[in-house]
Structure formats: C-alpha cells, structure tokens
Amino acid sequence: QAPKGEWDFNLYPVYTIAIVDFVLFEDEKSKEFFYHSARLRNDRTYEIFYDKLIYKYLELPKFNKTLEDLETNFDRWMYLLKNLPKLEKRPPELQGKVFEKLFEFAAIERLTPKEMKEYKKSVLEYSDVRDALDYAKEEARKEGREEGREERNIEIASQCLLRGMSIEDISNITGLSIDQLKELQNTLQP
C-alpha cells in the first residue's frame, strides 16, 4: 500500500473475511448472529492492537433466510454460499451477471473427470480457432494496408509520369521498380 517516494505510514484498513461452514461462536449472545466483526487486542492492556486490521466471520450454518426472505445482495451471497451444493439450477432470486458466472463455474466443477477432459479439450480447440482467426484478421489488415500503399504509390507515379518526371526519380519516391514504372508509362500513353 505504500506509495513510492515519501511515505507517511498511513495504511488503508486490511480486512480478513472468513466464511466458515461450521458454528464458530456457540455462546448464548451470538447464537442468532451469523456475522461477526473482530479486532485484535493486546492480551495485557486489552487495547485494540491496530485499528486498521479487522476480521469478519460469516457462519453459514447460522444463516437461515429462505429464498423469499432475501433482500440484499449480501443475503443472496450468503444464501448461495450456504446452499450451492444443493442447488440443481439457478433460482430466479439469484439473477445478475455475477451469479450467472458463478453458476457457470459451478457447472464446470461438477463435471466428471472424463467430461472435464473433454471440456478442457474443447476450450483449447476454441482458443486455437480464435487465435487463428485473430491472426488471419491481422494479416488481412496488413495485406490491405500494403495493397493500399501500393495503389497510392501507383497513383502518385501516374501523376509524376504525366508531369514528365524521370522514371528513376519516381522509382526513388514511390519505391516502385523501373519495370513497373515502364509498364505504367505504356498504359498512360495514348
């Protein structure tokens, strides 16, 4: 986090987030709460060790909302993390691109070893085809630029020949060969 050069030793807070699939705090005060925030304290003075080091604990077994009770994205994530192994398809309550992507990853993780091998093979084949197409497009662009340059050079050479410039000078200017310019000169004569 420290910037280059002079540093004033001010750091941004650091959070550790632990998502656990077991009950971490079983005491009476926290049996209803699934979300906990903690800071380190000095074991002698009980003062906070460092105010920018924060631990967040999310106890999945204590999260008891149903699909119908979900109100926030935090609720949706907690529900999803707790129930993902049991879900066969994505519920309508878990819509959005981020959840769509997560379910795609989950579907891939459920593949059998044989299916995973085939999947990886198809990804490599797709990647090869995409790379070949990208290469072909770039080559076509280069070829198009070269053809455009050659057409422009022929146009310039034609104008220079019509103005009576020497073939050697035109060749030096355009990069066209003497033979190309003589052939061009023959096509320009009436």
Side-chain angles (χ1 to χ4, degrees):
Q1 294 183 20
K4 290 183 179 178
E6 291 290 320
W7 182 38
D8 60 5
F9 296 92
N10 288 324
L11 297 175
Y12 296 106
V14 175
Y15 293 90
T16 298
I17 300 173
I19 302 169
V20 296
D21 63 351
F22 55 89
V23 174
L24 188 61
F25 301 103
E26 293 188 25
D27 61 318
E28 198 60 35
K29 284 193 284 186
S30 63
K31 79 176 185 182
E32 292 182 30
F33 300 104
F34 66 90
Y35 171 75
H36 307 277
S37 185
R39 294 173 191 244
L40 293 178
R41 293 187 177 272
N42 183 306
D43 59 354
R44 281 182 275 158
T45 65
Y46 296 103
E47 291 178 8
I48 292 177
F49 171 70
Y50 187 61
D51 67 337
K52 293 184 178 180
L53 184 58
I54 303 151
Y55 295 88
K56 305 283 183 178
Y57 297 95
L58 306 174
E59 296 175 284
L60 293 179
K62 290 183 182 178
F63 182 81
N64 295 316
K65 288 188 178 184
T66 64
L67 275 170
E68 295 76 28
D69 297 332
L70 304 179
E71 297 172 8
T72 65
N73 273 339
F74 181 70
D75 289 346
R76 290 178 189 90
W77 273 106
M78 289 298 294
Y79 180 87
L80 182 63
L81 291 169
K82 181 177 181 177
N83 296 291
L84 188 59
K86 297 180 248 173
L87 295 175
E88 292 297 320
K89 61 181 180 177
R90 183 166 48 138
E93 293 82 358
L94 299 176
Q95 296 303 312
K97 285 189 177 191
V98 69
F99 295 114
E100 182 180 322
K101 202 72 164 159
L102 181 75
F103 275 86
E104 287 175 12
F105 286 129
I108 292 168
E109 287 302 313
R110 283 186 170 177
L111 296 176
T112 65
K114 181 180 178 185
E115 291 170 330
M116 182 61 82
K117 186 177 178 180
E118 288 298 313
Y119 171 75
K120 287 181 178 179
K121 181 181 173 190
S122 72
V123 168
L124 286 172
E125 288 170 354
Y126 172 78
S127 180
D128 288 346
V129 169
R130 190 186 66 231
D131 291 346
L133 284 172
D134 289 346
Y135 178 77
K137 285 178 188 176
E138 183 57 31
E139 288 299 308
R141 277 190 213 106
K142 285 180 186 174
E143 190 175 307
R145 285 191 295 264
E146 288 172 15
E147 285 177 10
R149 269 190 227 108
E150 187 164 338
E151 286 176 13
R152 180 71 180 137
N153 285 338
I154 290 171
E155 193 177 302
I156 291 168
S158 297
Q159 293 299 317
C160 292
L161 286 168
L162 291 172
R163 288 195 167 85
M165 286 181 67
S166 74
I167 289 180
E168 290 79 16
D169 287 343
I170 298 171
S171 177
N172 289 333
I173 293 169
T174 62
L176 296 173
S177 70
I178 301 291
D179 291 337
Q180 286 176 300
L181 291 170
K182 286 181 179 177
E183 189 177 316
L184 180 61
Q185 190 176 37
N186 290 335
T187 62
L188 293 175
Q189 291 179 352

